[in-house]
Amino acid sequence: MLPRHIAVIMDGNGRWARQRGLPRSEGHKAGTEAARAVVTRCRELGVRHLTLYTLSRENLSRPAEELSYLFDLLVRFLKKETRLLLEQDIRLKILGEVEGLPFGVRQVVRSVVEKTKDCGSMTLNLALNYGGRDEILRACRTLLAKGLDPAVLTEEAFAAELYTSGQPDPDLIIRTSGELRLSNYLLFQAAYAEFYFTDLYWPDFSPAELDKALEDYAHRQRRFGKTGDQLTAGE
Ligand code: IPE
Ligand code: IPE
Ligand code: MG
């Protein structure tokens, strides 16, 4: 089965560049190409939701020079790919604190989100200035401010306050670069996600590698706490 929602931790750009004696910026640039190819492949396959970890809150403490390159790259990517998103009927959404981003980035992001808001074939979420714990805290603050009765708060009502409101939880989380951790990604939503790890650095993660991950996923048995017998009995 095809996952409804794939979430990716695009890691290893810096190491990819170092391996080649290049500056980290070249790794980020190559990473952008890989991202474009994966978006297109997901759209072709009919994946309805794709989330790309583009910048964590913690990444904001990186050197100013690297950050300004990353923001520049993002702005150029979004401007250049707006047409592709519209042609492929892909809606852009941002998960994260947009207000904390530089003005130029905010402007472009808002404009592309607005332009693509009626696209219905796929949702592309960019996790930008995103932190899973922060997302959970924000939801708590909103609910407390609403004066909600704790007794009536359900998991669904809580999920509706997250950045991913209205979207299914990720079925598959892919992380490149050999690191085996979540790095504050989709902490609430990842409850029953399947994980796929590869040692490849992100710029080397091609559509064919995505196909491999999907093939692997297709052989998983998701139990959601039940026994294998219950599942075969269709309970
Ligand atoms: C992922 O690659 C991209 C971002 C976090 C922005 P890294 O920049 O983390 O690359 P490594 O992990 O240092 O190789
Ligand atoms: C996670 O990668 C964030 C993104 C891919 C955007 P990091 O490189 O920031 O994660 P850690 O620091 O190795 O856990
Ligand atoms: Mg990294």
Side-chain angles (χ1 to χ4, degrees):
M1 260 231 320
L2 192 67
R4 276 198 301 170
H5 184 170
I6 301 176
V8 187
I9 305 175
M10 311 186 289
D11 198 14
N13 292 350
R15 280 164 284 169
W16 181 92
R18 197 173 53 204
Q19 216 178 35
R20 289 162 174 75
L22 297 169
R24 291 178 63 84
S25 55
E26 288 300 313
H28 294 314
K29 197 161 124 195
T32 311
E33 302 302 323
R36 180 187 298 106
V38 163
V39 170
T40 305
R41 183 73 186 132
C42 282
R43 173 66 182 85
E44 265 169 29
L45 291 169
V47 173
R48 298 303 305 270
H49 304 264
L50 172 66
T51 302
L52 301 177
Y53 207 174
T54 308
L55 197 76
S56 70
R57 273 167 69 88
E58 291 76 21
N59 288 150
L60 284 187
S61 60
R62 288 194 180 190
E65 197 193 333
E66 177 165 351
L67 282 178
S68 97
Y69 186 84
L70 281 170
F71 288 135
D72 208 51
L73 200 59
L74 178 71
V75 165
R76 275 186 286 144
F77 176 81
L78 287 176
K79 280 188 179 162
K80 191 161 158 238
E81 303 307 335
T82 310
R83 209 177 49 183
L84 185 86
L85 294 176
L86 289 168
E87 273 167 15
Q88 300 191 0
D89 196 34
I90 300 172
R91 173 174 74 139
L92 181 79
K93 285 208 78 175
I94 304 296
L95 316 182
E97 203 200 330
V98 178
E99 296 71 33
L101 296 170
F103 180 71
V105 180
R106 279 190 335 244
Q107 257 189 333
V108 176
V109 155
R110 291 210 173 104
S111 141
V112 182
V113 167
E114 173 62 28
K115 281 184 188 146
T116 60
K117 71 175 190 310
D118 296 323
C119 295
S121 296
M122 179 170 118
T123 300
L124 170 64
N125 299 301
L126 294 188
L128 254 189
N129 194 13
Y130 174 85
R133 286 187 171 180
D134 178 65
E135 180 184 34
I136 291 170
L137 278 180
R138 288 168 67 97
C140 292
R141 287 192 202 106
T142 309
L143 291 164
L144 286 170
K146 280 184 189 165
L148 189 90
D149 176 0
V152 303
L153 179 60
T154 60
E155 289 186 9
E156 290 72 26
F158 192 84
E161 299 298 339
L162 300 174
Y163 292 122
T164 45
S165 170
Q167 301 190 57
D169 286 340
D171 301 296
L172 174 63
I173 296 183
I174 298 174
R175 183 169 191 149
T176 57
S177 89
E179 309 298 345
L180 309 178
R181 54 178 173 264
L182 268 179
S183 302
N184 205 11
Y185 196 39
L186 303 174
L187 298 182
F188 187 89
Q189 299 89 334
Y192 269 101
E194 296 291 326
F195 288 88
Y196 181 86
F197 295 105
T198 165
D199 286 338
L200 288 175
Y201 295 139
W202 174 250
D204 290 328
F205 192 82
S206 61
E209 292 297 329
L210 175 73
D211 292 349
K212 264 206 252 175
L214 291 174
E215 174 65 16
D216 193 276
Y217 172 83
H219 292 99
R220 309 273 180 99
Q221 186 189 46
R222 305 184 72 188
R223 296 216 183 105
F224 300 99
K226 295 185 178 178
T227 67
D229 289 345
Q230 279 178 299
L231 290 171
T232 32
E235 284 171 33

